[in-house]
Amino acid sequence: VSVDGDRLAARLAAIVGAAHVVTDPALKSLYEHDATGRFSGSSRLVVRPGNVEEVAETLAACSRSGAAVVPQGGHTGMVGGGTPRDGEVVLSLGRLQALGEIDRAASQVTVGAGVTLERLQLQAAAGGLDFPLDHGARSAATVGGMVATDAGGHLALRYGTMRALTAGVEAVLIDGRIVTRLGGLLKDNAGLDLPELLIGSEGILAVITRARLRLVPARRRRATALFAVADLDTALAVLDRLRAATPSLEALDYFEETGLRRVCERLGLAPPFSRSHPVYLVAECAADVDPSEQLLAAADIVEESAIATDAAARKALWRFREAHNETVRSLGVPLKLDVSVPVGAVPVFERDVRTLVEDVEPDAELILYGHLGDGNVHVNVIGAGEAADTLEDLILRAAADRGGSISAEHGVGLAKSSWLDLCRSETEISLMRDIKRVFDPGGILSPGRVLRE
Ligand code: MLT
Ligand code: ZN
């Protein structure tokens, strides 16, 4: 630790208490690795403020000493957005745990950045409501990071991403000023919406400390189907059928033969059907009356199906899909690319990706899955070795060429900042840089994330 590091640590300890400034290398290392195993760095220190005023004083102190800061939430990110690079201060928001009363009239709730998705879901359910966003990292991912990355998950098909569910934020600027807009007004068009700008800004503009979130009435009955289909074109036909049959469709995720085999091996699970199939879909409907009938709308075009309505059986079907991430991770450090393409282009984009991997590194294993109804494909290449960089470039270009985005729901972070121009114009990027300078003139907040240095 440098002398200046010591001084900053002492200053921060005076703000948050010595117990919440972590300088011990072993303890610090808990904050220094990302969920993919691809990003890590040795932080200068980790600071854990307990309220918004402490966040403000912490940022002001870092600002005065010119220390680079990276905000960190539940530490489930996959693009190096919240993982420190060498020498950066980690600002962990985990202690911002306030969970407000549900405002029934507005159907909203105000929650601290450090509240996990799961806790938020339980709080909403206790009030007879749902927070309609869900994903596999629910027990660890926190609200601050989810707003900052405009997280998606499998319910986006019906309810949109965090952007659609966020009615306001409280955030701290790098100089310590606090911007609070948590009123949650549905109609409020008084000028530029600055808090809105922070949704999806990945920590490069300000640090989100609280969010005002929208809730929906809890749907009483749920039905989940696992369908096996012959190919992705049929999968799209299933989507079409289900959409026409029911407004209660919430999710249509997919995975494939290779991924399923790996998941079953890892978890010691029996495969869901007696035969193996190229593509599997998880469809979920939720309504006030049992929606399982509506899931049968696609019955004649699927090869095999299983439908569940009770929570445990539904969870077991989802497990085949949700376990893909941890399974891939267990096989090594994957090349992991979260992209989106227009929904109708998913089959052709998958063909592009398969061809690229076969041409560039035929020995690599390709595991594709994602949120089909959103056109959101998670590309995972295992064993790409030295070809990883080449493949990364080619796959991101292929997504852009098909009219897609280099980042669907995980964010740009450090991982993809070099490719932002594939899906944003020069004008857009230059405006982003101007805005970044207004919020963070010294360039010390999440440097290098989103906008390449
Ligand atoms: C998922 O859909 O499972 C998550 O986005 C994580 C992943 O990409 O594996
Ligand atoms: Zn996902």
Side-chain angles (χ1 to χ4, degrees):
V1 179
S2 68
V3 173
D4 186 42
D6 277 342
R7 244 188 252 149
L8 179 63
R11 238 177 280 149
L12 295 179
I15 297 166
V16 302
H20 298 297
V21 178
V22 184
T23 53
D24 175 72
L27 293 176
K28 264 194 326 153
S29 76
L30 300 173
Y31 300 81
E32 294 176 337
H33 304 271
D34 88 322
T36 66
R38 189 173 164 205
F39 296 94
S40 66
S42 172
S43 66
R44 177 166 173 175
L45 55 86
V46 178
V47 56
R48 298 168 34 87
N51 55 49
V52 65
E53 289 77 22
E54 289 182 7
V55 174
E57 286 183 55
T58 296
L59 286 174
C62 291
S63 201
R64 278 194 298 273
S65 73
V69 188
V70 61
Q72 187 179 96
H75 213 175
T76 56
M78 299 183 169
V79 290
T83 305
R85 295 187 304 180
D86 287 351
E88 290 177 349
V89 169
V90 175
L91 173 55
S92 168
L93 284 311
R95 289 177 65 218
L96 302 189
Q97 288 283 344
L99 190 42
E101 289 288 302
I102 288 174
D103 174 348
R104 301 202 67 86
S107 193
Q108 293 175 351
V109 64
T110 300
V111 294
V115 170
T116 63
L117 173 57
E118 190 166 60
R119 224 180 123 218
L120 166 62
Q121 289 170 337
L122 292 172
Q123 166 88 344
L129 298 167
D130 274 343
F131 178 65
L133 186 148
D134 195 22
H135 56 66
R138 63 185 73 76
S139 64
T142 52
V143 163
M146 290 191 355
V147 174
T149 55
D150 185 18
H154 56 255
L155 301 177
L157 182 65
R158 184 166 183 184
Y159 301 101
T161 62
M162 269 321 261
R163 185 176 297 285
L165 300 172
T166 304
V169 303
E170 172 191 76
V172 184
L173 306 184
I174 190 69
D175 60 10
R177 284 178 297 165
I178 301 171
V179 177
T180 307
R181 184 119 58 76
L182 294 168
L185 299 176
L186 178 64
K187 291 189 171 173
D188 177 5
N189 60 7
L192 296 184
D193 195 344
L194 297 174
E196 168 74 27
L197 194 54
L198 303 183
I199 303 170
S201 66
E202 297 189 47
I204 69 169
L205 301 182
V207 177
I208 292 166
T209 47
R210 278 195 292 172
R212 179 81 176 168
L213 299 173
R214 301 195 168 98
L215 305 171
V216 298
R219 318 283 172 186
R220 282 182 299 140
R221 307 293 297 273
R222 285 178 179 276
T224 306
L226 181 66
F227 295 126
V229 292
D231 50 39
L232 281 171
D233 291 309
T234 312
L236 289 181
V238 170
L239 173 64
D240 197 41
R241 292 277 188 99
L242 293 178
R243 272 207 178 118
T246 174
S248 75
L249 182 67
E250 304 218 307
L252 190 75
D253 269 28
Y254 83 108
F255 52 91
E256 301 184 350
E257 207 163 9
T258 323
L260 177 65
R261 199 186 60 242
R262 288 296 201 175
V263 164
C264 290
E265 272 166 22
R266 173 164 163 82
L267 302 181
L269 290 175
F273 301 122
S274 52
R275 280 184 300 132
S276 179
H277 300 273
V279 178
Y280 298 82
L281 300 171
V282 187
E284 179 146 308
C285 288
D288 290 332
V289 290
D290 182 0
S292 33
E293 284 280 305
Q294 292 155 1
L295 284 168
L296 298 176
D300 60 317
I301 53 172
V302 307
E303 306 295 315
E304 296 197 62
S305 61
I307 295 188
T309 50
D310 71 278
R314 288 181 30 246
K315 200 168 164 203
L317 294 182
W318 270 111
R319 187 87 182 109
F320 291 113
R321 160 65 184 87
E322 281 191 348
H324 272 68
N325 183 27
E326 66 186 73
T327 300
V328 165
R329 178 73 184 90
S330 75
L331 297 170
V333 178
L335 170 62
K336 199 169 179 57
L337 299 170
D338 157 54
V339 298
S340 62
V341 292
V343 180
V346 171
V348 70
F349 172 67
E350 276 221 357
R351 280 196 285 279
D352 294 343
V353 173
R354 280 186 205 291
T355 308
L356 290 171
V357 174
E358 273 156 28
D359 288 353
V360 175
E361 183 48 78
D363 291 337
E365 181 170 336
L366 179 61
I367 298 187
L368 296 158
Y369 57 92
H371 314 288
L372 182 68
D374 314 332
N376 183 180
V377 179
H378 295 313
V379 179
N380 295 264
V381 189
I382 297 149
E386 309 224 309
D389 291 352
T390 310
L391 277 173
E392 181 169 32
D393 182 62
L394 292 170
I395 293 168
L396 293 177
R397 283 178 196 283
D401 287 347
R402 295 291 177 190
S405 171
I406 60 157
S407 172
E409 57 171 7
H410 294 176
V412 175
L414 282 177
K416 294 176 180 166
S417 57
S418 302
W419 289 276
L420 192 58
D421 62 351
L422 290 182
C423 61
R424 293 292 180 267
S425 69
E426 214 175 284
T427 308
E428 284 171 295
I429 294 174
S430 112
L431 279 169
M432 287 187 208
R433 288 193 183 281
D434 291 345
I435 293 168
K436 165 74 174 162
R437 262 190 295 276
V438 169
F439 276 82
D440 177 22
I444 60 169
L445 193 52
S446 298
R449 278 71 171 186
V450 186
L451 299 166
R452 196 178 44 181
E453 275 167 329

